[in-house]
């Protein structure tokens, strides 16, 4: 028997996310070529829903399909779950009932907000698109959110990061259900990698904030111009004309980090920029970003974003 997957679509849905489950699960076949999953799409009342891109989706089923599913997938949304933390009562009830009877519950991107609004992520680890992480935390403080990973598998409840991370999660589920061989074949049919190294952290935009003139801002700007040079806490405090103790306290109040942690993060960010925009070797990138050696760069990049310099460059380097 094929495993039943129901995609539960809400208004203002992410159209890309909606197409991921039928594509990936539909590509999973057994040794004879027979499909291993059946996928259907439903909405509250079977009504059409708006999708990004200026069109509406007319589903085949209403919420009764959730009651029949072995797996329920909620695509990303941009409406009420992210605005005020609410979902239609019938949707919440259907999700909770599916969870209570043991169905696997999944979300893609901001679909995690729907699961959170239904109460299914309370005190659980989860992820969502990094760009919505702060709003998500404010709306759903009980969720143990990790915006740095591509997906979180917490057993019965699984969540993924933004957009293409839904592909990663669906392939992970196929791998969990039927093994790597089936998942790899499904990935080939979809023309995507069967596994991506690292996490969402490598895709997060972290622009350097405007420094302004107050507090330690001028010293931060001064340090950013000297990332390749030895910069000490004593030197930073002296530039700010403060004692080390006062400077450290003011710096943490203004940035939320210690001076050493902030400086290391800026150096890693600069190393990422050099890997993306130059052909410099790893040792040269490490020296220019103030990390000292290629070994240190590999260590810090792996800790910050989960991938080595070579893999990061392959993903983000734009050929001249």
């Amino acid at each position: 028997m094929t495993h039943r997957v129901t995609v539960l679509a809400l208004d203002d849905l992410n159209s890309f996310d909606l197409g991921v489950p039928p594509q990936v699960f539909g590509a999973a076949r057994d040794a004879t070529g027979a499909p291993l999953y059946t996928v259907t799409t439903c909405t509250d009342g079977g009504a059409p829903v708006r999708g990004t891109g200026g069109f509406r989706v007319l589903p085949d089923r209403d919420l009764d399909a959730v009651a029949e599913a072995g797996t329920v997938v909620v695509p990303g949304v941009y409406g009420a779950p992210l605005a005020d933390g609410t979902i239609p009562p019938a949707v919440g009830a259907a999700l909770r009932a599916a969870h209570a009877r043991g169905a696997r519950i999944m979300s893609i991107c901001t679909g995690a907000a729907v699961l959170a609004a239904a109460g299914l992520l309370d005190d659980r680890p989860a992820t969502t698109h990094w760009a919505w992480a702060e709003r998500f935390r404010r709306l759903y403080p009980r969720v143990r959110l990790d915006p740095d990973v591509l997906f979180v598998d917490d057993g019965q409840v699984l969540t993924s990061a933004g957009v293409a991370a839904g592909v990663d999660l669906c392939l992970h589920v196929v791998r969990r259900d039927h093994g790597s061989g089936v998942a790899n074949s499904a990935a080939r049919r979809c023309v995507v990698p069967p596994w991506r190294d690292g996490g969402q952290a490598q895709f997060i935009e972290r622009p350097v904030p405007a420094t302004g003139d107050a507090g330690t801002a001028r010293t931060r700007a001064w340090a950013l111009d000297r990332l390749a040079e030895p910069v000490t806490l004593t030197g930073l405090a002296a530039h700010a004309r403060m004692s080390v103790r006062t400077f450290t306290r003011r710096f943490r109040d203004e940035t939320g980090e210690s001076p050493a942690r902030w400086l290391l993060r800026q150096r890693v960010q600069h190393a990422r920029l050099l890997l993306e925009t130059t052909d410099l070797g790893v040792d040269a990138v490490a020296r220019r970003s103030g990390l000292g050696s290629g070994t240190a760069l590999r260590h810090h990049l792996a800790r910050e974003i989960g991938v080595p310099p070579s893999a990061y460059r392959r993903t983000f380097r734009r050929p001249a």
Side-chain angles (χ1 to χ4, degrees), residues 215-292:
T216 64
R218 288 186 178 180
T219 298
R220 279 180 273 140
W222 174 82
L224 288 174
D225 288 335
R226 293 162 175 80
L227 290 177
E229 304 172 15
V231 177
T232 65
L233 177 57
T234 302
L236 290 168
H239 182 272
R241 298 183 179 180
M242 301 178 189
S243 69
V244 169
R245 183 176 180 180
T246 299
F247 176 80
T248 301
R249 176 176 54 79
R250 291 282 296 275
F251 195 99
R252 188 179 289 277
D253 289 343
E254 292 171 19
T255 68
E257 298 178 297
S258 70
R261 173 61 186 157
W262 178 88
L263 188 60
L264 175 60
R265 188 163 59 81
Q266 302 310 317
R267 284 175 164 152
V268 171
Q269 285 293 99
H270 189 57
R272 290 172 64 177
L273 178 64
L274 293 175
L275 289 169
E276 291 179 25
T277 59
T278 75
D279 291 319
L280 292 170
V282 171
D283 287 334
V285 169
R287 288 194 300 271
R288 291 198 184 190
S289 56
L291 294 171

Side-chain angles (χ1 to χ4, degrees), residues 1-58:
M1 290 182 64
T2 57
H3 181 91
R4 291 185 178 183
V5 177
T6 293
V7 181
L8 173 55
L10 277 70
D11 230 359
D12 296 316
L13 64 89
N14 183 310
S15 302
F16 181 94
D17 296 354
L18 180 67
V20 167
Q23 185 67 47
V24 176
F25 288 119
R29 309 294 178 89
D30 66 14
T32 69
L36 292 166
Y37 301 88
T38 58
V39 184
T40 190
T41 300
C42 76
T43 63
D44 186 5
V49 292
R50 293 185 300 271
T52 55
F55 58 86
R56 289 175 181 264
V57 176
L58 182 62

Side-chain angles (χ1 to χ4, degrees), residues 6-306:
T6 293
V7 181
L8 173 55
L10 277 70
D11 230 359
D12 296 316
L13 64 89
N14 183 310
S15 302
F16 181 94
D17 296 354
L18 180 67
V20 167
Q23 185 67 47
V24 176
F25 288 119
R29 309 294 178 89
D30 66 14
T32 69
L36 292 166
Y37 301 88
T38 58
V39 184
T40 190
T41 300
C42 76
T43 63
D44 186 5
V49 292
R50 293 185 300 271
T52 55
F55 58 86
R56 289 175 181 264
V57 176
L58 182 62
D60 288 336
R61 301 285 304 276
D62 60 16
L63 290 176
D64 287 345
V66 174
E68 302 169 0
T71 295
V72 181
V73 186
V74 181
V77 294
Y78 299 107
L82 286 169
D84 56 19
T86 62
I87 55 175
V91 169
L95 286 170
R96 288 189 292 272
H99 179 265
R101 65 176 171 78
R104 179 166 53 200
I105 311 295
M106 298 168 55
S107 68
I108 300 175
C109 192
T110 51
V114 178
L115 304 192
L120 299 183
L121 296 183
D122 288 352
D123 305 314
R124 283 184 178 272
T127 192
T128 190
H129 193 297
W130 61 264
W132 294 93
E134 289 307 313
R135 178 176 292 189
F136 189 99
R137 284 193 177 103
R138 290 195 299 270
L139 287 170
Y140 307 108
R142 290 187 60 182
V143 181
R144 305 204 310 267
L145 189 69
D146 183 356
D148 288 342
V149 297
L150 289 176
F151 60 82
V152 171
D153 181 344
D154 193 41
Q156 189 185 351
V157 180
L158 303 91
T159 53
S160 81
V163 195
V167 176
D168 298 296
L169 178 59
C170 290
L171 285 171
H172 167 75
V173 168
V174 173
R175 187 179 299 108
R176 195 174 91 170
D177 289 351
H178 300 287
S180 294
V182 173
N184 292 348
S185 294
R188 291 188 182 98
R189 289 190 179 96
C190 296
V191 198
V192 295
W195 181 269
R196 286 196 292 169
D197 291 330
Q200 191 177 192
Q202 61 188 304
F203 302 101
I204 298 176
E205 293 178 358
R206 290 191 176 98
V208 178
T211 53
D213 295 322
T216 64
R218 288 186 178 180
T219 298
R220 279 180 273 140
W222 174 82
L224 288 174
D225 288 335
R226 293 162 175 80
L227 290 177
E229 304 172 15
V231 177
T232 65
L233 177 57
T234 302
L236 290 168
H239 182 272
R241 298 183 179 180
M242 301 178 189
S243 69
V244 169
R245 183 176 180 180
T246 299
F247 176 80
T248 301
R249 176 176 54 79
R250 291 282 296 275
F251 195 99
R252 188 179 289 277
D253 289 343
E254 292 171 19
T255 68
E257 298 178 297
S258 70
R261 173 61 186 157
W262 178 88
L263 188 60
L264 175 60
R265 188 163 59 81
Q266 302 310 317
R267 284 175 164 152
V268 171
Q269 285 293 99
H270 189 57
R272 290 172 64 177
L273 178 64
L274 293 175
L275 289 169
E276 291 179 25
T277 59
T278 75
D279 291 319
L280 292 170
V282 171
D283 287 334
V285 169
R287 288 194 300 271
R288 291 198 184 190
S289 56
L291 294 171
S293 68
T295 300
L297 172 58
R298 292 182 185 92
H299 168 75
H300 290 300
L301 201 65
R303 188 174 68 175
E304 291 286 329
I305 63 174

